[in-house]
Amino acid sequence: MKRYPRNLRGYGPNPPHANWPNGAKVAVQFVLNYEEGGENCVLHGDAASEAFLSDIPGAAQWPDQRHWNMESMYEYGARAGFWRLHRLFTGANIPITIYGVATALARSPEQVAAMKSAGWEIASHGLKWIEHKDMAPEMERAAIAEAIRLHTEVTGERPRGWYTGRCSENTVRLVAEDGGFDYISDTYDDDLPYWLKMDGRDQLIIPYTLEANDMRFSVSPGWSSGEDFFDYLKNAFDVLYAEGEAGSPKMMSIGLHCRLIGRPGKLAALKKFIDYIQGHANVWCPRRIEIAKHWAETHPPQHFDRPSEMDRETFVANYGSIFEHSPWIAERAHDLELGPAHDCAAGVHNALCRMFRTATEEERLGVLTAHPDLAGKLAAAGRLTAESTSEQAGAGLDLLTDEERETFTKLNADYVAKHGFPFIIAVRDHTKASIMAAFHERIGNNRATEFAEACRQVERIAEFRLMDILP
């Protein structure tokens, strides 16, 4: 089976209603990354100094050396930036989530005490603020376990949320493997939480952000002033708030760093944004753990048989009748590169149609001739497929007058004599009267035109049938 693991569909065109508490139009969630003292540093046993997310333009690692300036910028975050942010958020009565690097927390006991006294959630940000991409799975699994152990020792509670940031392709799987996390945030792929099936377990994912994030003060392209940051946050909030007012509430994550937004000239923009959102009604500012609890209670995981995970026999049993009496289409579709994007009506429809469209003309003709006449003898004898019976009945073709039945019988015979296949129309798009009108109009077309139109109608019928059984 050729299967594509990435999920490019998500919730599709109709995301669930978040149902945030008290009818909130948007959930604005602030994350403060606490990394100071956990970054790359030879004092920590690392091979080189840190080079990421600081106010040093174009910083590079210094192998086997301490980078005094880099270290002091990180130290500013712990010594001054953290306390400025602590005063801002406690003064605004907004609880936040800390992404805490375990070794950084261990080196900052006063800050940890202040986080706890403020009622902030302290989620895990890994053992050290270093890259995981080159770690072997066994090494990363051990680092995750040690991060949990040290975090619990330092804070008094095990973390319920996780965000690595500098993760590997294995990180989410390895963290979910632990089984003790209410959520993982190592994704940036949605405006709402969602459930991910990992090794048979339902893991809640609460996506994070790298764009509504003060890290862009330290990268290019990025923010050149606090006003840039404020304008971006305001614009994002305004769009999401409007969507919430329109009946589709979302989540807005905002990422912060003590050593970046904690500088006075940058913090003014954050304060301005907080004042702005507090001037709006129905804005919820939770910790991430509260979002996780709400989503688990309000939107528990939903299970259904996913087409992309079916073996060939099951796939054909489920979808072999979508194209009338033509299971070979489903057999071929199963060999395509299916993935999560195909676990819906539109996905399976696309896969089946690809096989129908690339079939020979003779094979497609076989599909057309497998369709019954409208209101014909098979219908009268009760020998239609269940799908065809339902479709024709829905258009009232099971309740024809004698005159209407005679007209359909003559039109069917004339159409087949001229074109070599039955008149096919997606009856769910029509009424009895419009079907009759289309019959009279199309019977005069040449065969090539009508062959193409019949194929389009077959695909439309398949679409309706799949919408009856799949999301």
Side-chain angles (χ1 to χ4, degrees):
M1 290 167 57
K2 292 183 292 185
R3 293 298 177 259
Y4 189 67
R6 294 172 63 196
N7 188 342
L8 303 179
R9 176 175 183 261
Y11 286 120
N14 300 300
H17 193 292
N19 289 312
W20 299 132
N22 301 314
K25 302 290 190 281
V26 61
V28 180
Q29 203 288 305
F30 293 92
V31 167
L32 180 59
N33 293 266
Y34 197 86
E35 300 153 352
E36 290 76 9
E39 78 277 16
N40 282 284
C41 179
V42 295
L43 293 178
H44 306 158
D46 301 310
S49 62
E50 187 56 71
F52 191 41
L53 297 189
S54 79
D55 284 325
I56 302 176
Q61 286 192 313
W62 292 6
D64 302 316
Q65 294 185 60
R66 292 179 66 185
H67 192 316
W68 195 263
N69 291 346
M70 180 65 72
E71 288 181 22
S72 69
M73 288 187 174
Y74 270 74
E75 288 161 14
Y76 182 93
R79 293 163 55 119
F82 171 82
W83 297 108
R84 184 170 285 121
L85 289 159
H86 185 270
R87 290 190 292 271
L88 174 63
F89 282 110
T90 55
N93 197 31
I94 294 177
I96 67 173
T97 291
I98 297 290
Y99 283 167
V101 173
T103 50
L105 296 174
R107 295 180 175 116
S108 299
E110 279 189 301
Q111 291 89 335
V112 169
M115 296 171 194
K116 294 175 66 177
S117 66
W120 294 353
E121 174 198 3
I122 309 178
S124 181
H125 198 6
L127 180 62
K128 299 171 69 175
W129 177 230
I130 60 175
E131 293 286 357
H132 284 220
K133 66 181 179 65
D134 296 320
M135 288 185 184
E138 298 76 15
M139 181 184 298
E140 187 172 13
R141 183 182 287 111
I144 291 167
E146 177 59 14
I148 296 169
R149 186 204 68 77
L150 181 58
H151 184 111
T152 305
E153 178 182 289
V154 170
T155 69
E157 295 181 65
R158 74 150 284 155
R160 307 301 306 180
W162 179 280
Y163 173 73
T164 308
R166 299 160 88 165
C167 64
S168 76
E169 65 177 293
N170 301 307
T171 300
V172 173
R173 175 178 60 84
L174 294 174
V175 176
E177 181 184 279
D178 172 77
F181 287 97
D182 293 341
Y183 70 89
I184 299 172
S185 286
D186 274 303
T187 68
Y188 313 94
D189 52 3
D190 215 301
D191 299 308
L192 289 172
Y194 62 89
W195 295 96
L196 187 64
K197 198 80 169 179
M198 301 293 293
D199 297 325
R201 180 179 183 276
D202 294 306
Q203 177 63 61
L204 184 64
I205 305 295
I206 303 182
Y208 187 47
T209 176
L210 295 183
E211 41 86 41
N213 192 310
D214 69 355
M215 68 174 287
R216 294 185 63 184
F217 281 112
S218 65
V219 298
S220 181
W223 319 124
S224 59
S225 74
E227 287 303 306
D228 293 337
F229 189 42
F230 169 76
D231 286 343
Y232 189 88
L233 295 183
K234 177 182 178 298
N235 289 339
F237 173 83
D238 287 346
V239 169
L240 293 173
Y241 193 84
E243 290 182 3
E245 287 189 310
S248 185
K250 303 293 195 319
M251 175 184 70
M252 179 180 180
S253 294
I254 299 172
L256 307 169
H257 299 77
C258 301
R259 62 194 174 277
L260 297 176
I261 201 68
R263 294 281 181 175
K266 298 168 184 170
L267 185 118
L270 179 59
K271 183 179 186 307
K272 185 176 178 182
F273 178 71
I274 290 173
D275 291 341
Y276 180 72
I277 66 172
Q278 289 188 328
H280 288 69
N282 300 315
V283 176
W284 184 38
C285 291
R287 303 173 304 169
R288 273 174 118 67
I289 193 68
E290 289 157 352
I291 291 178
K293 180 181 179 184
H294 170 82
W295 205 262
E297 292 175 351
T298 310
H299 301 283
Q302 302 294 314
H303 300 120
F304 68 96
D305 292 331
R306 298 182 178 276
S308 68
E309 298 174 1
M310 293 177 179
D311 59 31
R312 179 186 298 275
E313 182 179 357
T314 305
F315 188 89
V316 174
N318 278 272
Y319 311 117
S321 64
I322 297 300
F323 281 74
E324 197 88 1
H325 297 297
S326 303
W328 60 267
I329 295 177
E331 291 170 359
R332 294 180 188 178
H334 187 266
D335 292 334
L336 292 172
E337 183 192 72
L338 305 182
H342 294 90
D343 294 335
C344 60
V348 175
H349 183 251
N350 181 268
L352 296 177
C353 287
R354 286 174 61 186
M355 298 300 91
F356 177 61
R357 293 165 190 166
T358 54
T360 66
E361 182 169 336
E362 182 179 357
E363 288 173 324
R364 284 181 289 150
L365 177 61
V367 175
L368 301 187
T369 57
H371 276 260
D373 290 338
L374 285 181
K377 293 180 180 179
L378 291 179
R383 292 170 54 196
L384 299 182
T385 63
E387 294 90 345
S388 290
T389 298
S390 175
E391 289 156 359
Q392 294 204 20
L397 299 184
D398 60 335
L399 299 171
L400 298 177
T401 65
D402 291 342
E403 181 181 354
E404 288 171 333
R405 186 174 293 105
E406 183 178 343
T407 300
F408 268 111
T409 300
K410 183 178 187 309
L411 287 171
N412 280 327
D414 291 346
Y415 186 94
V416 172
K418 179 173 182 179
H419 299 299
F421 49 85
F423 176 77
I424 300 171
I425 192 167
V427 296
R428 292 202 218 179
D429 282 327
H430 293 274
T431 63
K432 182 167 61 175
S434 67
I435 292 171
M436 186 71 78
F439 218 148
H440 283 290
E441 178 183 347
R442 285 173 49 189
I443 199 169
N445 289 336
N446 61 48
R447 188 182 186 280
T449 298
E450 203 50 27
F451 186 88
E453 181 59 30
C455 288
R456 283 193 289 270
Q457 293 297 322
V458 164
E459 292 187 10
R460 180 64 169 159
I461 292 168
E463 182 178 13
F464 279 122
R465 292 178 177 181
L466 287 166
M467 287 192 292
D468 288 340
I469 58 176
L470 281 169

